[in-house]
Amino acid sequence: MSRIDDLIAEHCPGGVPFRQLANLGHRNAGTSITAAKMKAIQVKAGGQVRVFAGGQTIADVAENSIPAKDIIRDPSIIVKSRGHIGFSYYERPFTHKAELWSYTLTDPAIDQKFVYYYLLTKVDELQEVARATSVKLPQLGIRDTDTLKIPVPPLEVQREIVKILDTFTELEAELEAELEAELEARKRQYAYYRDSLLSFPEAGGGVRWVPMGELGEFVRGNGIQKSDLMNEGTPAIHYGQVHTHYGIWADETKSFVGDALAPKLRKAHPGDLVIATTSEDDAAVGKAVAWVGNEDTVVSGDAYIYRHSLDPKYVAYFFQTNDFQSQKKRGITGTKVRRISGDALSKILIPFPDRAHQERISSILDKFDALVNDLSAGLPAELNARRQQYEYYRNKLLTFEEAVP
C-alpha cells in the first residue's frame, strides 16, 4: 500500500477528479439472441466469440453464428443488469444479449481494467438500486451505470493498482480452487458416510424397510401465493423456499402470512417434514426440510407435510440418500414441470430402526452437515473469509478522496 500512498501523495495530494462512466468511452448494444439459440449454437471447443447473458450464463459460439456488426472486438466491461447484478471484463471477441450492455473505454487517461476493478466495489450499491426500481426481477437501467462517477487518478496510480489486484485475483483464485476442491472432497465423504449410516440390509436380522405411508401420512399444503408472504405474522414455508433457503432442518421460518389467512391453511406441526414436490429438475423433486420449531407453520401448495413418529432429522437425511433418490424416480411425473404425489411418496421404503438409533444417526450427520454446509464453521467459513479479505483490500485500494473543483 505504501507505493500507492506515495504516488497519490506525489501526484494528487488534494484528491482525484471523478468523471461519469459514459464520458470515458462508448456503450455497446449487443445482439438479439434467445437463451434457446445460445444453447443451440454453443460449441464444445473452439468457439471464437463469447456470448454473455444474465447472471453467470455464457456460451462460446462460432464467429459466423453472430452478425458481424454485433461482435465487439476490443477489451470491454460487460454490465450484468438483470437478476444477478455485476460486471465482467473480457479481452477477446464477444457480444451479449440485447438487454445487457457493455463499455469500451477509449479515454487515454483511463486504464480500463482499473475501472472494472472499481466497478466491482459498486455491485452491492447497484444491487440495492436494482431492487428499489424493479417490481419483480431486480434490474438496472442504462442511466444507473452511465452516471456512475469514476475516480481518475494518474495512469501510474491506476496501473499500479491493477498490477496489485491482478496478483491478488490470481492468488485468490488459486486459494479458492484449493478450498473448493477440499470442500468437494468433504461433500463426497459426507455423502458416503450418510448413505452408509442409512443403509440397512434386511437380510440376516437387519433393520426392516417400511413404506413411508405405514409410518405416517402425507398432507398436501395449500393456498399461499408469494404475494401473501410477509415479514411478520404466522410462520409460513413456501415450497420454493425449500429449494432455495432451507437446509436439512429449520426451527424458524424465513417468511410469515397474515393472521387472517393462516386459519385457512394447512399446517406442519413441530417434528413434521415439509417436502417440495415440484421442480424443473428431477434431482430437486422431493427436497425436504424437517420443521423443528416450537409452533406450527403453514405450508404452501406444491408441497406435502409428512406427519410421522420418526426422528424428524433422520427422515430429512434419508431424503438425501441414493436409496431415496432411486426410489422416487419411479413416482416422478410431468414434462417441463416435474412432480411427485403424496401417494408415490407413501410407497417409498425407509429403514426403520428404533428411535434411539435414529437419533444417534441424526446427531452424527448434524456434525458432518455443519462442517460441510454451515458458513459459521469449517471450510465454507474459510472460503467466505478469503473472499471478504480480498474485497476488503480491493475496496481499500480503490477508495479515493474527490478533488474539489
Side-chain angles (χ1 to χ4, degrees), residues 2 10 36 44 80 94 117 141 153 168 189 200 230 234 242 250 351 371 378 397:
S2 60
E10 177 184 352
K44 291 184 178 179
K80 303 295 186 69
F94 76 96
Y117 280 129
F168 275 3
Q189 183 185 44
F200 299 89
M230 307 166 63
T234 299
V242 176
L371 177 65
L397 278 169

Side-chain angles (χ1 to χ4, degrees), residues 12-31:
C12 39
V16 303
F18 279 63
R19 295 170 57 190
Q20 289 190 350
L21 180 58
N23 296 331
L24 301 178
H26 58 266
R27 181 175 4 94
N28 308 302
T31 192

Side-chain angles (χ1 to χ4, degrees), residues 23-55:
N23 296 331
L24 301 178
H26 58 266
R27 181 175 4 94
N28 308 302
T31 192
S32 295
I33 190 170
T34 64
K37 184 176 180 182
M38 280 180 63
K39 185 175 181 180
I41 64 176
Q42 184 170 9
V43 294
K44 291 184 178 179
Q48 303 98 334
V49 176
R50 176 157 293 183
V51 184
F52 289 85

Side-chain angles (χ1 to χ4, degrees), residues 67-315:
K69 66 180 179 60
D70 295 339
I71 298 176
I72 303 153
R73 300 186 181 278
D74 296 316
S76 302
I77 300 167
I78 300 100
V79 180
K80 303 295 186 69
S81 59
R82 301 183 66 191
H84 172 83
I85 306 301
F87 300 92
S88 292
Y89 178 74
Y90 200 64
E91 296 183 334
R92 297 178 57 198
F94 76 96
T95 189
H96 44 73
K97 295 186 71 174
E99 63 262 30
L100 309 183
W101 58 94
S102 58
Y103 293 93
T104 304
L105 307 185
T106 55
D107 192 298
I110 285 294
D111 183 299
Q112 186 162 232
K113 204 166 188 184
F114 167 83
V115 176
Y116 163 69
Y117 280 129
Y118 180 77
L119 290 172
L120 292 181
T121 71
K122 296 295 180 181
V123 168
D124 289 346
E125 176 184 321
L126 290 170
Q127 186 78 50
E128 291 304 313
V129 170
R131 290 194 187 103
T133 57
S134 304
V135 176
K136 294 183 179 179
L137 189 69
Q139 184 168 346
L140 293 176
I142 288 173
R143 180 175 171 79
D144 294 323
T145 55
D146 270 4
T147 58
L148 279 174
K149 295 178 69 177
I150 308 296
V152 187
L155 266 175
E156 188 176 4
V157 173
Q158 296 179 45
R159 288 167 179 163
E160 186 68 21
I161 290 173
V162 168
K163 180 180 177 181
I164 293 170
L165 290 177
D166 278 350
T167 302
F168 275 3
T169 301
E170 184 177 344
L171 291 172
E172 178 69 13
E174 291 176 1
L175 288 168
E176 286 200 9
E178 290 175 7
L179 289 171
E180 285 172 350
E182 178 67 15
L183 181 57
E184 185 59 34
R186 292 286 181 89
K187 286 180 178 178
R188 290 196 299 269
Q189 183 185 44
Y190 163 68
Y192 172 80
Y193 281 118
R194 180 198 64 217
D195 284 13
S196 296
L197 284 169
L198 288 160
S199 177
F200 299 89
E202 285 194 280
V207 169
R208 289 189 306 126
W209 288 67
V210 181
M212 293 182 67
E214 293 185 15
L215 300 174
E217 63 173 333
F218 291 89
V219 178
R220 187 166 188 164
N222 68 315
I224 302 176
Q225 306 300 319
K226 285 187 177 180
S227 57
D228 295 323
L229 300 178
M230 307 166 63
N231 293 324
E232 58 182 19
T234 299
I237 296 178
H238 188 273
Y239 86 94
Q241 295 171 340
V242 176
H243 290 303
T244 61
H245 178 73
Y246 295 106
I248 292 293
W249 57 271
D251 57 7
E252 58 184 30
T253 60
K254 174 182 174 66
S255 302
F256 303 82
V257 297
D259 293 339
L261 175 62
K264 305 173 185 177
L265 304 174
R266 298 189 181 106
K267 299 175 178 65
H269 308 314
D272 288 350
L273 207 66
V274 178
I275 307 162
T277 55
T278 63
S279 175
E280 294 183 1
D281 176 12
D282 280 12
V285 174
K287 186 175 185 297
V289 54
W291 173 242
V292 294
N294 295 321
E295 59 183 317
D296 292 348
T297 177
V298 298
V299 175
S300 74
D302 286 323
Y304 270 90
I305 301 159
Y306 181 49
R307 292 187 178 142
H308 57 87
S309 58
L310 301 161
D311 176 74
K313 291 184 182 179
Y314 172 82
V315 186

